[in-house]
Amino acid sequence: MRRILKVKALLSGAESPPAGDEDLLAILSRTFFCHMSFLGCQRLADYMEGVKKNYESSAQVLKYNCETYGYGESCYKLGAYHITGKGGVTKCLKTAYSCFIRSCNAGGKKSTDACHNIGLLAHDGRAMEGKPDLTTARQYYEKACAGGFAPSCFNLSALFIEGNSKGVAPDMTQALKYANRACELGHVWGCVNASRMYKLGDGTEKNDKKAEELKNRARELHGLEKKTQLKFGE
C-alpha cells in the first residue's frame, strides 16, 4: 500500500523521487495507477524524459498511453519520437503520421500542433510514399488554422496562391483570407503577403491604405521577433 501511495505522489507531482530510486517503470508494472490514469502516465513519461533522461522508458509509457487511452499529448510526443527515432523507437514518418492523426482527432493542448504536422507531411509527401496529398494537407491545415495555429493559416494561403491540379485550385480570395488570418495571429509573412495582395488587387480590390497598414504590422511583428531574439541571447 505504501508503494502505491508513493507512485501516486510521484505521478501527481506532489513528491520527487530520491536519487537512485528504482526504475519507475518497474514500479509501474507492479501497480495499477497508470492503468487508471492517462494523466498519470503522461506525467511519468515527462519525468522519465525530462528528469531521468531515460528516453527508452519514456517512449514505452507514451506508446502505452497513446494506444490504450488515445491520449492526445502522448500520441503527439510519440509521433515526434518516431520522426527522429528517439528513445529507441523506429524512425518512421508513416508511424509518426499515424500518431499525429490520433493526437489531432483526440483534441487537447497539442492537437493543433499535431494537425499542422499532418498537413506538413501530406503537403510534401514524406509520409505518403513521396506523393504529396494536397487535399489532406488542406484539410488538416484548415483544422489547425481554426484552432489558431498561425503557420497552418499561412500554409493555406500559400496553397491557394500556388494551386495544384491534384487537389487545390488557385483561389486568390481564399489566399487573402488565410493570409489575413495568419497576420491576425502574429505571422509576419502572413502580413507581408496580405499587404502585397491588397497593393496589387489580388483576390480583392486594390486598397493602398490596407496594404500600408499590413506592411506596418509586418514591420512591427518583425521588430518584436528581433527584440525577443536579442533578449534570449543576452
Side-chain angles (χ1 to χ4, degrees):
M1 176 60 73
R2 289 189 342 193
R3 174 61 72 187
I4 291 174
L5 291 174
K6 178 178 178 63
V7 174
K8 287 184 177 180
L10 289 169
L11 295 180
S12 68
E15 181 179 334
S16 297
D21 197 13
E22 64 181 292
D23 190 330
L24 289 185
L25 281 179
I27 298 174
L28 175 64
S29 69
R30 296 196 299 271
T31 66
F32 61 86
F33 195 69
C34 191
H35 298 276
M36 298 179 67
S37 170
F38 53 82
L39 290 175
C41 282
Q42 182 61 47
R43 291 192 186 104
L44 177 57
D46 290 341
Y47 171 79
M48 297 307 292
E49 178 187 67
V51 178
K52 288 289 190 179
K53 308 300 181 186
N54 187 338
Y55 304 115
E56 291 78 10
S57 294
S58 178
Q60 291 175 41
V61 179
L62 291 170
K63 186 175 188 295
Y64 175 84
N65 211 23
C66 177
E67 294 182 352
T68 303
Y69 295 114
Y71 186 58
E73 189 174 344
S74 289
C75 294
Y76 174 80
K77 187 166 279 189
L78 182 62
Y81 272 38
H82 278 291
I83 291 285
T84 61
K86 188 175 181 179
V89 304
T90 304
K91 185 177 180 180
C92 179
L93 294 180
K94 285 187 177 181
T95 304
Y97 183 88
S98 297
C99 292
F100 292 141
I101 288 280
R102 294 190 71 166
S103 178
C104 175
N105 293 335
K109 66 180 182 179
K110 283 295 184 181
S111 63
T112 53
D113 300 71
C115 295
H116 179 72
N117 285 355
I118 296 165
L120 290 175
L121 291 170
H123 195 169
D124 65 14
R126 284 182 294 165
M128 322 295 285
E129 298 182 350
K131 298 177 181 178
D133 183 346
L134 298 190
T135 300
T136 297
R138 174 184 174 179
Q139 175 187 348
Y140 284 96
Y141 283 151
E142 285 177 344
K143 194 167 184 177
C145 181
F149 200 77
S152 278
C153 302
F154 177 76
N155 286 2
L156 277 169
S157 178
L159 269 182
F160 282 113
I161 289 173
E162 298 168 3
N164 188 282
S165 61
K166 299 180 180 178
V168 179
D171 187 330
M172 299 307 290
T173 300
Q174 287 287 88
L176 178 59
K177 168 187 170 183
Y178 286 113
N180 271 322
R181 181 58 179 148
C183 181
E184 289 170 2
L185 292 169
H187 197 290
V188 173
W189 291 104
C191 300
V192 170
N193 280 5
S195 174
R196 184 175 183 276
M197 292 172 79
Y198 278 111
K199 184 73 174 178
L200 298 176
D202 280 340
T204 183
E205 293 183 359
K206 288 186 178 182
N207 189 328
D208 288 339
K209 181 181 178 182
K210 186 71 173 175
E212 188 66 21
E213 288 175 356
L214 289 166
K215 183 170 71 173
N216 290 336
R217 174 62 174 156
R219 286 174 175 165
E220 178 187 352
L221 289 170
H222 182 61
L224 288 173
E225 284 185 357
K226 290 178 68 176
K227 186 175 181 181
T228 300
Q229 290 171 0
L230 180 62
K231 284 185 177 180
F232 184 76
E234 286 176 348

XYZ file of all heavy atoms in Angstrom, residues 37-84:
383
model
N -5.107 6.038 -14.994
C -4.939 7.478 -15.155
C -4.042 7.798 -16.335
O -2.829 7.609 -16.268
C -4.338 8.079 -13.875
O -3.965 9.424 -14.095
N -4.622 8.313 -17.435
C -3.810 8.707 -18.584
C -2.954 9.923 -18.246
O -1.861 10.093 -18.768
C -4.674 8.985 -19.811
C -5.790 9.963 -19.604
C -5.548 11.322 -19.644
C -7.088 9.519 -19.375
C -6.571 12.238 -19.461
C -8.121 10.423 -19.191
C -7.858 11.793 -19.235
N -3.435 10.782 -17.337
C -2.629 11.926 -16.914
C -1.415 11.469 -16.114
O -0.321 12.020 -16.246
C -3.475 12.890 -16.079
C -4.564 13.661 -16.836
C -5.404 14.476 -15.863
C -3.948 14.570 -17.892
N -1.618 10.448 -15.291
C -0.503 9.880 -14.537
C 0.551 9.304 -15.462
O 1.757 9.495 -15.259
N 0.112 8.616 -16.504
C 1.053 8.063 -17.481
C 1.838 9.175 -18.164
O 3.050 9.058 -18.372
C 0.300 7.256 -18.542
S -0.194 5.613 -17.998
N 1.155 10.260 -18.520
C 1.837 11.354 -19.199
C 2.861 11.999 -18.282
O 3.972 12.330 -18.708
C 0.823 12.404 -19.671
C 1.431 13.568 -20.445
C 2.126 13.128 -21.714
O 1.571 12.351 -22.486
N 3.334 13.602 -21.934
N 2.507 12.165 -17.018
C 3.462 12.736 -16.061
C 4.687 11.838 -15.916
O 5.816 12.315 -15.809
C 2.797 12.944 -14.703
C 1.740 14.039 -14.686
C 1.349 14.392 -13.257
N 0.248 15.337 -13.247
C -1.015 15.028 -12.973
N -1.334 13.765 -12.681
N -1.962 15.937 -12.977
N 4.447 10.529 -15.894
C 5.550 9.588 -15.782
C 6.457 9.690 -17.005
O 7.678 9.722 -16.892
C 5.021 8.160 -15.631
C 6.076 7.059 -15.569
C 7.057 7.306 -14.424
C 5.422 5.694 -15.412
N 5.860 9.765 -18.195
C 6.649 9.900 -19.423
C 7.470 11.186 -19.395
O 8.650 11.193 -19.760
C 5.733 9.875 -20.644
N 6.848 12.282 -18.955
C 7.552 13.563 -18.880
C 8.702 13.494 -17.880
O 9.786 14.055 -18.113
C 6.588 14.680 -18.467
C 5.581 15.023 -19.558
O 5.826 14.678 -20.734
O 4.549 15.644 -19.221
N 8.469 12.803 -16.755
C 9.504 12.656 -15.741
C 10.677 11.832 -16.285
O 11.841 12.213 -16.127
C 8.928 11.990 -14.485
C 9.993 11.606 -13.482
C 10.549 12.567 -12.642
C 10.452 10.299 -13.401
C 11.543 12.230 -11.744
C 11.456 9.956 -12.507
C 11.995 10.925 -11.676
O 12.992 10.589 -10.792
N 10.363 10.701 -16.928
C 11.423 9.855 -17.456
C 12.236 10.589 -18.518
O 13.446 10.418 -18.611
C 10.824 8.568 -18.033
C 10.113 7.663 -17.036
S 11.108 7.232 -15.590
C 12.365 6.196 -16.322
N 11.580 11.431 -19.295
C 12.268 12.178 -20.343
C 13.036 13.368 -19.780
O 14.225 13.547 -20.058
C 11.264 12.670 -21.381
C 11.898 13.500 -22.500
C 10.874 14.122 -23.434
O 10.126 15.012 -22.974
O 10.814 13.709 -24.599
N 12.341 14.196 -18.995
C 12.927 15.461 -18.572
C 13.887 15.364 -17.412
O 14.849 16.140 -17.344
N 13.651 14.447 -16.485
C 14.479 14.354 -15.286
C 15.481 13.205 -15.402
O 16.682 13.381 -15.228
C 13.612 14.177 -14.020
C 14.492 14.032 -12.777
C 12.663 15.361 -13.868
N 14.990 12.018 -15.709
C 15.853 10.842 -15.793
C 16.632 10.763 -17.101
O 17.608 10.018 -17.197
C 15.011 9.569 -15.636
C 14.488 9.306 -14.240
C 15.616 8.900 -13.316
C 15.095 8.393 -11.979
N 16.191 7.968 -11.083
N 16.170 11.482 -18.130
C 16.769 11.389 -19.464
C 16.744 9.940 -19.973
O 17.615 9.514 -20.730
C 18.217 11.910 -19.470
C 18.392 13.297 -18.878
C 17.573 14.340 -19.624
C 17.763 15.735 -19.039
N 16.869 16.753 -19.663
N 15.725 9.223 -19.546
C 15.551 7.823 -19.957
C 14.513 7.801 -21.071
O 13.319 7.592 -20.842
C 15.096 6.984 -18.754
C 15.068 5.496 -19.068
O 14.979 5.095 -20.227
N 15.129 4.676 -18.026
N 14.957 8.044 -22.288
C 14.041 8.208 -23.407
C 13.391 6.886 -23.819
O 12.265 6.877 -24.311
C 14.781 8.842 -24.586
C 15.430 10.151 -24.224
C 16.820 10.302 -24.229
C 14.656 11.238 -23.823
C 17.406 11.503 -23.870
C 15.240 12.446 -23.462
C 16.620 12.568 -23.483
O 17.198 13.761 -23.108
N 14.095 5.780 -23.595
C 13.505 4.483 -23.917
C 12.276 4.208 -23.048
O 11.235 3.782 -23.546
C 14.543 3.363 -23.747
C 15.660 3.371 -24.770
C 16.730 4.421 -24.477
O 16.703 5.025 -23.367
O 17.585 4.645 -25.357
N 12.422 4.469 -21.739
C 11.292 4.255 -20.832
C 10.168 5.239 -21.123
O 8.991 4.882 -21.092
C 11.746 4.404 -19.375
O 12.652 3.376 -19.034
N 10.530 6.485 -21.415
C 9.519 7.479 -21.771
C 8.738 7.030 -22.995
O 7.507 7.123 -23.034
C 10.190 8.832 -22.043
O 9.239 9.797 -22.438
N 9.444 6.507 -23.997
C 8.783 6.052 -25.223
C 7.806 4.919 -24.934
O 6.711 4.861 -25.511
C 9.832 5.599 -26.243
N 8.187 4.009 -24.025
C 7.303 2.897 -23.680
C 5.999 3.391 -23.048
O 4.915 2.908 -23.367
C 8.011 1.944 -22.715
C 9.159 1.161 -23.334
C 9.883 0.324 -22.307
O 9.257 -0.286 -21.437
N 11.202 0.295 -22.378
N 6.116 4.352 -22.142
C 4.931 4.885 -21.474
C 4.061 5.662 -22.466
O 2.839 5.559 -22.464
C 5.318 5.774 -20.278
C 4.066 6.338 -19.607
C 6.135 4.985 -19.268
N 4.705 6.451 -23.316
C 3.956 7.208 -24.326
C 3.182 6.262 -25.239
O 2.017 6.517 -25.563
C 4.916 8.066 -25.159
C 5.585 9.238 -24.446
C 6.674 9.837 -25.327
C 4.560 10.307 -24.060
N 3.839 5.187 -25.651
C 3.189 4.213 -26.531
C 1.983 3.588 -25.839
O 0.902 3.458 -26.428
C 4.189 3.130 -26.945
C 3.676 2.139 -27.983
C 4.806 1.197 -28.406
C 4.385 0.326 -29.585
N 3.297 -0.603 -29.276
N 2.169 3.206 -24.583
C 1.063 2.606 -23.833
C -0.101 3.592 -23.698
O -1.263 3.254 -23.929
C 1.540 2.174 -22.441
C 0.417 1.659 -21.577
C -0.006 0.336 -21.677
C -0.251 2.497 -20.687
C -1.057 -0.142 -20.904
C -1.297 2.042 -19.919
C -1.703 0.718 -20.034
O -2.752 0.261 -19.289
N 0.220 4.829 -23.326
C -0.831 5.825 -23.083
C -1.555 6.206 -24.370
O -2.766 6.465 -24.362
C -0.213 7.079 -22.444
C -1.173 7.789 -21.519
O -2.115 7.203 -20.995
N -0.938 9.078 -21.304
N -0.814 6.255 -25.469
C -1.434 6.578 -26.753
C -2.315 5.441 -27.235
O -3.470 5.653 -27.621
C -0.353 6.897 -27.788
S -0.994 7.233 -29.454
N -1.774 4.228 -27.214
C -2.506 3.088 -27.767
C -3.649 2.618 -26.875
O -4.683 2.163 -27.372
C -1.542 1.932 -28.030
C -0.527 2.248 -29.122
C 0.404 1.083 -29.423
O 0.360 0.072 -28.671
O 1.167 1.181 -30.401
N -3.479 2.758 -25.565
C -4.514 2.282 -24.639
C -5.610 3.313 -24.420
O -6.801 3.000 -24.473
C -3.890 1.909 -23.283
O -2.881 0.920 -23.490
C -4.957 1.356 -22.333
N -5.203 4.554 -24.190
C -6.165 5.603 -23.876
C -6.414 6.576 -25.018
O -7.358 7.370 -24.963
C -5.701 6.399 -22.651
C -5.662 5.605 -21.367
C -4.449 5.346 -20.728
C -6.837 5.116 -20.794
C -4.406 4.621 -19.541
C -6.797 4.392 -19.613
C -5.585 4.155 -18.988
O -5.555 3.439 -17.831
N -5.553 6.551 -26.035
C -5.676 7.528 -27.114
C -5.440 8.944 -26.626
O -6.008 9.893 -27.170
N -4.580 9.093 -25.594
C -4.342 10.416 -25.011
C -3.530 11.260 -25.989
O -2.401 10.935 -26.352
C -3.622 10.279 -23.675
C -3.469 11.580 -22.930
C -4.590 12.339 -22.595
C -2.221 12.052 -22.550
C -4.463 13.539 -21.917
C -2.083 13.250 -21.861
C -3.206 13.987 -21.547
O -3.083 15.183 -20.871
N -4.096 12.384 -26.396
C -3.548 13.184 -27.477
C -2.129 13.658 -27.257
O -1.306 13.628 -28.180
N -1.811 14.119 -26.056
C -0.471 14.636 -25.807
C 0.579 13.541 -25.931
O 1.678 13.757 -26.467
C -0.401 15.284 -24.427
C 0.895 16.032 -24.173
C 0.894 16.802 -22.847
O -0.189 17.003 -22.275
O 1.987 17.186 -22.406
N 0.234 12.335 -25.449
C 1.163 11.204 -25.571
C 1.332 10.792 -27.026
O 2.441 10.476 -27.468
C 0.662 10.016 -24.742
O 0.789 10.269 -23.360
N 0.222 10.781 -27.769
C 0.304 10.421 -29.187
C 1.161 11.421 -29.944
O 1.963 11.054 -30.814
C -1.092 10.353 -29.802
S -2.138 9.037 -29.144
N 1.016 12.706 -29.613
C 1.809 13.739 -30.274
C 3.294 13.541 -30.001
O 4.119 13.549 -30.921
C 1.383 15.129 -29.799
C 2.262 16.227 -30.345
C 2.081 16.710 -31.641
C 3.307 16.752 -29.583
C 2.910 17.699 -32.159
C 4.138 17.738 -30.094
C 3.922 18.206 -31.381
O 4.754 19.167 -31.896
N 3.636 13.344 -28.739
C 5.052 13.201 -28.393
C 5.622 11.902 -28.963
O 6.778 11.880 -29.408
C 5.231 13.240 -26.875
C 6.689 13.255 -26.446
C 6.858 13.642 -24.987
C 6.785 15.140 -24.798
N 7.166 15.546 -23.421
N 4.823 10.841 -28.985
C 5.277 9.586 -29.588
C 5.551 9.791 -31.075
O 6.532 9.272 -31.614
C 4.226 8.492 -29.380
C 4.581 7.106 -29.929
C 5.827 6.551 -29.243
C 3.400 6.149 -29.731
N 4.680 10.559 -31.740
C 4.906 10.878 -33.146
C 6.222 11.604 -33.337
O 6.982 11.313 -34.279
N 6.515 12.558 -32.439
C 7.779 13.295 -32.525
C 8.968 12.358 -32.322
O 10.012 12.515 -32.974
C 7.793 14.405 -31.475
N 8.825 11.372 -31.441
C 9.888 10.379 -31.240
C 10.137 9.600 -32.538
O 11.277 9.319 -32.903
C 9.499 9.411 -30.125
C 9.889 9.836 -28.725
C 9.804 11.171 -28.323
C 10.316 8.914 -27.796
C 10.139 11.557 -27.037
C 10.665 9.283 -26.505
C 10.573 10.605 -26.128
O 10.911 10.985 -24.846
N 9.053 9.243 -33.236
C 9.204 8.458 -34.463
C 9.805 9.280 -35.607
O 10.363 8.712 -36.545
C 7.857 7.880 -34.893
C 7.479 6.627 -34.168
N 8.141 5.434 -34.349
C 6.504 6.376 -33.247
C 7.595 4.491 -33.592
N 6.610 5.044 -32.906
N 9.705 10.586 -35.534
C 10.323 11.432 -36.567
C 11.839 11.254 -36.561
O 12.483 11.177 -37.614
C 9.981 12.921 -36.331
C 8.485 13.191 -36.587
C 10.849 13.823 -37.202
C 8.090 13.230 -38.038
N 12.422 11.189 -35.356
C 13.883 11.135 -35.234
C 14.407 9.774 -34.777
O 15.625 9.551 -34.785
C 14.361 12.192 -34.228
O 13.782 11.918 -32.932
C 13.945 13.597 -34.669
